[in-house]
Amino acid sequence: MSGIIKLGIDRAKIGDILVDKDGADIFVFKLNSSYIMQGLLELTRFRKSKIEEIKISEAKEKIENFEEMSIIVASMRIDNIVAELISSSRNKAIEFIENERVLVNYDTIYKNSKMINFGDVITIRGKGKFIIDALVRNTRGDRCVLRVRKYA
């Protein structure tokens, strides 16, 4: 990913990047493929890499691996959930939100009061990507026990 950024290409102009132990498939518009391929080959870290253009039908199938976990939150507000996901205080979670490091369903979040729904995908830059699956139960203190899947 850092190689593409060094080429001056905005991440929003790139499609999915499927990484595995043997390399990566980067989905781009055909219009951009030659520029990206040539640019990557000029970067020192990719000089010995095999970079080729393939049809989308030849790309590796995306296999999603998840780690399942449970968190306990006072409410479904994004700051509460982020604090639990990063094992930190709400103040630290708010700092992540204010620094635009938190996305919900791939949109940057600017307010720490955003309410989260089941099925939402939360991305915390530098910490991981999570799916809020379901309410497992409520505690006696009326806190929510949530089942969360973390992308592995």
Short mmCIF file of all heavy atoms in Angstrom, two decimals, residues 75 77-103 108-114 124 127:
data_model
loop_
_atom_site.label_atom_id
_atom_site.label_comp_id
_atom_site.label_asym_id
_atom_site.label_seq_id
_atom_site.Cartn_x
_atom_site.Cartn_y
_atom_site.Cartn_z
N SER A 75 -23.22 1.80 25.95
CA SER A 75 -24.20 2.15 24.92
C SER A 75 -23.59 1.84 23.56
O SER A 75 -22.42 1.49 23.44
CB SER A 75 -24.56 3.64 25.01
OG SER A 75 -23.51 4.44 24.51
N ARG A 77 -22.85 3.91 21.29
CA ARG A 77 -22.13 5.07 20.74
C ARG A 77 -20.75 4.64 20.27
O ARG A 77 -20.11 3.78 20.88
CB ARG A 77 -21.99 6.16 21.80
CG ARG A 77 -23.22 6.98 22.03
CD ARG A 77 -23.05 7.94 23.18
NE ARG A 77 -21.79 8.66 23.14
CZ ARG A 77 -21.65 9.96 23.35
NH1 ARG A 77 -22.74 10.70 23.58
NH2 ARG A 77 -20.48 10.53 23.34
N ILE A 78 -20.29 5.26 19.20
CA ILE A 78 -19.00 4.89 18.61
C ILE A 78 -17.84 5.05 19.59
O ILE A 78 -16.93 4.22 19.63
CB ILE A 78 -18.73 5.67 17.29
CG1 ILE A 78 -17.47 5.17 16.59
CG2 ILE A 78 -18.63 7.16 17.54
CD1 ILE A 78 -17.56 3.78 16.04
N ASP A 79 -17.86 6.09 20.44
CA ASP A 79 -16.74 6.28 21.37
C ASP A 79 -16.66 5.15 22.39
O ASP A 79 -15.56 4.68 22.71
CB ASP A 79 -16.77 7.65 22.04
CG ASP A 79 -18.07 7.95 22.79
OD1 ASP A 79 -19.06 7.22 22.62
OD2 ASP A 79 -18.08 8.95 23.53
N ASN A 80 -17.79 4.66 22.86
CA ASN A 80 -17.80 3.53 23.78
C ASN A 80 -17.26 2.27 23.13
O ASN A 80 -16.45 1.54 23.71
CB ASN A 80 -19.22 3.23 24.28
CG ASN A 80 -19.72 4.26 25.26
OD1 ASN A 80 -18.97 4.79 26.06
ND2 ASN A 80 -21.00 4.56 25.18
N ILE A 81 -17.70 2.02 21.91
CA ILE A 81 -17.29 0.81 21.21
C ILE A 81 -15.82 0.85 20.84
O ILE A 81 -15.08 -0.11 21.06
CB ILE A 81 -18.19 0.57 19.98
CG1 ILE A 81 -19.61 0.23 20.47
CG2 ILE A 81 -17.63 -0.52 19.09
CD1 ILE A 81 -20.65 0.11 19.39
N VAL A 82 -15.35 1.99 20.32
CA VAL A 82 -13.93 2.12 19.96
C VAL A 82 -13.05 1.94 21.19
O VAL A 82 -12.03 1.25 21.15
CB VAL A 82 -13.64 3.46 19.25
CG1 VAL A 82 -12.14 3.71 19.13
CG2 VAL A 82 -14.29 3.48 17.87
N ALA A 83 -13.44 2.52 22.31
CA ALA A 83 -12.65 2.38 23.54
C ALA A 83 -12.47 0.92 23.91
O ALA A 83 -11.36 0.49 24.27
CB ALA A 83 -13.32 3.15 24.69
N GLU A 84 -13.52 0.13 23.79
CA GLU A 84 -13.42 -1.30 24.11
C GLU A 84 -12.60 -2.06 23.06
O GLU A 84 -11.82 -2.93 23.39
CB GLU A 84 -14.81 -1.92 24.25
CG GLU A 84 -15.53 -1.53 25.51
CD GLU A 84 -14.77 -1.89 26.77
OE1 GLU A 84 -14.25 -3.02 26.87
OE2 GLU A 84 -14.69 -1.03 27.67
N LEU A 85 -12.78 -1.71 21.80
CA LEU A 85 -12.06 -2.41 20.74
C LEU A 85 -10.55 -2.19 20.81
O LEU A 85 -9.78 -3.08 20.48
CB LEU A 85 -12.58 -2.00 19.36
CG LEU A 85 -14.01 -2.43 19.02
CD1 LEU A 85 -14.46 -1.83 17.70
CD2 LEU A 85 -14.13 -3.95 19.00
N ILE A 86 -10.14 -1.00 21.26
CA ILE A 86 -8.69 -0.72 21.36
C ILE A 86 -8.19 -0.86 22.80
O ILE A 86 -7.05 -0.52 23.08
CB ILE A 86 -8.33 0.67 20.78
CG1 ILE A 86 -8.95 1.82 21.58
CG2 ILE A 86 -8.70 0.74 19.31
CD1 ILE A 86 -8.47 3.20 21.16
N SER A 87 -9.06 -1.36 23.68
CA SER A 87 -8.71 -1.56 25.11
C SER A 87 -8.12 -0.29 25.71
O SER A 87 -7.00 -0.29 26.23
CB SER A 87 -7.74 -2.72 25.26
OG SER A 87 -8.30 -3.90 24.75
N SER A 88 -8.88 0.78 25.61
CA SER A 88 -8.39 2.07 26.09
C SER A 88 -9.54 2.86 26.72
O SER A 88 -10.66 2.37 26.83
CB SER A 88 -7.80 2.83 24.90
OG SER A 88 -7.15 3.99 25.34
N SER A 89 -9.23 4.10 27.10
CA SER A 89 -10.24 4.97 27.71
C SER A 89 -11.11 5.60 26.62
O SER A 89 -10.75 5.62 25.44
CB SER A 89 -9.55 6.08 28.50
OG SER A 89 -8.86 6.95 27.60
N ARG A 90 -12.25 6.14 27.03
CA ARG A 90 -13.10 6.85 26.08
C ARG A 90 -12.39 8.09 25.56
O ARG A 90 -12.55 8.46 24.40
CB ARG A 90 -14.44 7.23 26.73
CG ARG A 90 -15.48 6.18 26.43
CD ARG A 90 -16.89 6.53 26.83
NE ARG A 90 -17.34 7.83 26.37
CZ ARG A 90 -18.12 8.63 27.08
NH1 ARG A 90 -18.51 8.29 28.29
NH2 ARG A 90 -18.53 9.77 26.60
N ASN A 91 -11.58 8.75 26.42
CA ASN A 91 -10.83 9.92 25.95
C ASN A 91 -9.88 9.57 24.82
O ASN A 91 -9.75 10.31 23.85
CB ASN A 91 -10.07 10.57 27.10
CG ASN A 91 -10.97 11.34 28.04
OD1 ASN A 91 -12.07 11.75 27.65
ND2 ASN A 91 -10.54 11.53 29.27
N LYS A 92 -9.22 8.42 24.93
CA LYS A 92 -8.32 7.97 23.86
C LYS A 92 -9.13 7.63 22.61
O LYS A 92 -8.71 7.95 21.49
CB LYS A 92 -7.53 6.74 24.33
CG LYS A 92 -6.47 6.30 23.37
CD LYS A 92 -5.34 7.30 23.31
CE LYS A 92 -4.19 6.74 22.49
NZ LYS A 92 -3.15 7.73 22.28
N ALA A 93 -10.30 7.03 22.78
CA ALA A 93 -11.18 6.71 21.65
C ALA A 93 -11.62 8.00 20.95
O ALA A 93 -11.62 8.08 19.71
CB ALA A 93 -12.39 5.91 22.11
N ILE A 94 -11.97 9.00 21.73
CA ILE A 94 -12.39 10.30 21.16
C ILE A 94 -11.23 10.92 20.39
O ILE A 94 -11.42 11.51 19.32
CB ILE A 94 -12.92 11.23 22.27
CG1 ILE A 94 -14.26 10.70 22.79
CG2 ILE A 94 -13.06 12.66 21.77
CD1 ILE A 94 -14.76 11.36 24.05
N GLU A 95 -10.02 10.76 20.89
CA GLU A 95 -8.83 11.26 20.20
C GLU A 95 -8.68 10.58 18.83
O GLU A 95 -8.40 11.23 17.82
CB GLU A 95 -7.60 11.00 21.07
CG GLU A 95 -6.32 11.62 20.57
CD GLU A 95 -5.17 11.34 21.52
OE1 GLU A 95 -5.32 11.59 22.74
OE2 GLU A 95 -4.13 10.84 21.04
N PHE A 96 -8.90 9.27 18.78
CA PHE A 96 -8.85 8.54 17.51
C PHE A 96 -9.89 9.11 16.54
O PHE A 96 -9.61 9.29 15.36
CB PHE A 96 -9.11 7.05 17.73
CG PHE A 96 -7.89 6.23 17.96
CD1 PHE A 96 -7.21 6.29 19.17
CD2 PHE A 96 -7.40 5.37 16.99
CE1 PHE A 96 -6.08 5.53 19.40
CE2 PHE A 96 -6.27 4.60 17.20
CZ PHE A 96 -5.61 4.68 18.41
N ILE A 97 -11.10 9.37 17.05
CA ILE A 97 -12.19 9.89 16.21
C ILE A 97 -11.84 11.29 15.71
O ILE A 97 -11.97 11.59 14.52
CB ILE A 97 -13.53 9.88 16.98
CG1 ILE A 97 -13.94 8.43 17.25
CG2 ILE A 97 -14.61 10.62 16.20
CD1 ILE A 97 -15.04 8.27 18.29
N GLU A 98 -11.35 12.14 16.60
CA GLU A 98 -11.01 13.52 16.22
C GLU A 98 -9.85 13.56 15.22
O GLU A 98 -9.78 14.47 14.40
CB GLU A 98 -10.66 14.34 17.47
CG GLU A 98 -11.87 14.65 18.32
CD GLU A 98 -11.53 15.34 19.64
OE1 GLU A 98 -10.33 15.37 20.02
OE2 GLU A 98 -12.47 15.82 20.29
N ASN A 99 -8.97 12.58 15.28
CA ASN A 99 -7.84 12.50 14.34
C ASN A 99 -8.21 11.77 13.05
O ASN A 99 -7.34 11.39 12.27
CB ASN A 99 -6.63 11.84 14.99
CG ASN A 99 -6.01 12.72 16.04
OD1 ASN A 99 -6.01 13.94 15.92
ND2 ASN A 99 -5.48 12.11 17.09
N GLU A 100 -9.52 11.53 12.86
CA GLU A 100 -10.08 10.91 11.65
C GLU A 100 -9.48 9.53 11.38
O GLU A 100 -9.25 9.14 10.24
CB GLU A 100 -9.90 11.84 10.45
CG GLU A 100 -10.60 13.16 10.63
CD GLU A 100 -10.44 14.11 9.45
OE1 GLU A 100 -9.87 13.71 8.41
OE2 GLU A 100 -10.88 15.26 9.58
N ARG A 101 -9.27 8.77 12.46
CA ARG A 101 -8.73 7.41 12.34
C ARG A 101 -9.80 6.35 12.46
O ARG A 101 -9.51 5.16 12.48
CB ARG A 101 -7.65 7.19 13.40
CG ARG A 101 -6.42 8.06 13.15
CD ARG A 101 -5.35 7.85 14.18
NE ARG A 101 -4.86 6.47 14.15
CZ ARG A 101 -4.05 5.98 15.07
NH1 ARG A 101 -3.63 6.73 16.07
NH2 ARG A 101 -3.64 4.73 14.99
N VAL A 102 -11.09 6.76 12.56
CA VAL A 102 -12.19 5.81 12.73
C VAL A 102 -13.17 5.97 11.56
O VAL A 102 -13.60 7.07 11.24
CB VAL A 102 -12.92 6.04 14.07
CG1 VAL A 102 -14.10 5.10 14.21
CG2 VAL A 102 -11.96 5.88 15.24
N LEU A 103 -13.48 4.83 10.94
CA LEU A 103 -14.45 4.80 9.85
C LEU A 103 -15.56 3.83 10.21
O LEU A 103 -15.30 2.79 10.83
CB LEU A 103 -13.80 4.35 8.55
CG LEU A 103 -12.74 5.27 7.94
CD1 LEU A 103 -11.39 4.99 8.54
CD2 LEU A 103 -12.70 5.07 6.46
N THR A 108 -15.48 8.11 7.07
CA THR A 108 -14.83 8.69 8.24
C THR A 108 -15.88 9.27 9.18
O THR A 108 -16.82 9.92 8.75
CB THR A 108 -13.84 9.80 7.81
OG1 THR A 108 -12.90 9.23 6.90
CG2 THR A 108 -13.10 10.37 9.00
N ILE A 109 -15.67 9.04 10.47
CA ILE A 109 -16.59 9.53 11.50
C ILE A 109 -15.97 10.77 12.15
O ILE A 109 -14.79 10.78 12.47
CB ILE A 109 -16.83 8.44 12.57
CG1 ILE A 109 -17.50 7.24 11.92
CG2 ILE A 109 -17.65 8.96 13.73
CD1 ILE A 109 -18.78 7.54 11.19
N TYR A 110 -16.78 11.81 12.34
CA TYR A 110 -16.30 13.05 12.92
C TYR A 110 -16.89 13.32 14.30
O TYR A 110 -16.37 14.13 15.04
CB TYR A 110 -16.61 14.23 11.99
CG TYR A 110 -15.98 14.06 10.63
CD1 TYR A 110 -16.72 13.57 9.55
CD2 TYR A 110 -14.64 14.35 10.43
CE1 TYR A 110 -16.13 13.40 8.30
CE2 TYR A 110 -14.04 14.18 9.20
CZ TYR A 110 -14.79 13.71 8.14
OH TYR A 110 -14.20 13.53 6.91
N LYS A 111 -18.00 12.65 14.63
CA LYS A 111 -18.67 12.89 15.92
C LYS A 111 -18.60 11.63 16.78
O LYS A 111 -18.94 10.54 16.32
CB LYS A 111 -20.13 13.28 15.70
CG LYS A 111 -20.29 14.62 15.02
CD LYS A 111 -21.75 15.01 14.95
CE LYS A 111 -21.88 16.38 14.31
NZ LYS A 111 -23.25 16.85 14.33
N ASN A 112 -18.21 11.81 18.03
CA ASN A 112 -18.10 10.66 18.92
C ASN A 112 -19.46 10.17 19.41
O ASN A 112 -19.55 9.15 20.07
CB ASN A 112 -17.20 10.99 20.12
CG ASN A 112 -17.71 12.15 20.93
OD1 ASN A 112 -18.25 13.10 20.39
ND2 ASN A 112 -17.52 12.09 22.23
N SER A 113 -20.53 10.86 19.05
CA SER A 113 -21.87 10.45 19.49
C SER A 113 -22.59 9.56 18.47
O SER A 113 -23.73 9.16 18.72
CB SER A 113 -22.72 11.70 19.78
OG SER A 113 -22.83 12.48 18.60
N LYS A 114 -21.94 9.24 17.36
CA LYS A 114 -22.58 8.41 16.33
C LYS A 114 -23.02 7.08 16.93
O LYS A 114 -22.27 6.42 17.63
CB LYS A 114 -21.61 8.15 15.18
CG LYS A 114 -22.14 7.08 14.22
CD LYS A 114 -21.84 7.39 12.81
CE LYS A 114 -22.34 6.30 11.87
NZ LYS A 114 -23.75 6.35 11.62
N ILE A 124 -10.52 1.00 12.46
CA ILE A 124 -9.74 1.89 13.31
C ILE A 124 -8.32 1.83 12.77
O ILE A 124 -7.64 0.81 12.92
CB ILE A 124 -9.80 1.47 14.79
CG1 ILE A 124 -11.26 1.35 15.25
CG2 ILE A 124 -9.03 2.47 15.65
CD1 ILE A 124 -11.43 0.68 16.59
N LYS A 127 -5.31 -0.17 14.13
CA LYS A 127 -5.80 -1.12 15.14
C LYS A 127 -6.56 -2.29 14.55
O LYS A 127 -6.62 -3.35 15.13
CB LYS A 127 -6.69 -0.41 16.17
CG LYS A 127 -5.99 0.68 16.94
CD LYS A 127 -4.90 0.12 17.83
CE LYS A 127 -4.23 1.21 18.65
NZ LYS A 127 -3.22 0.68 19.56
#
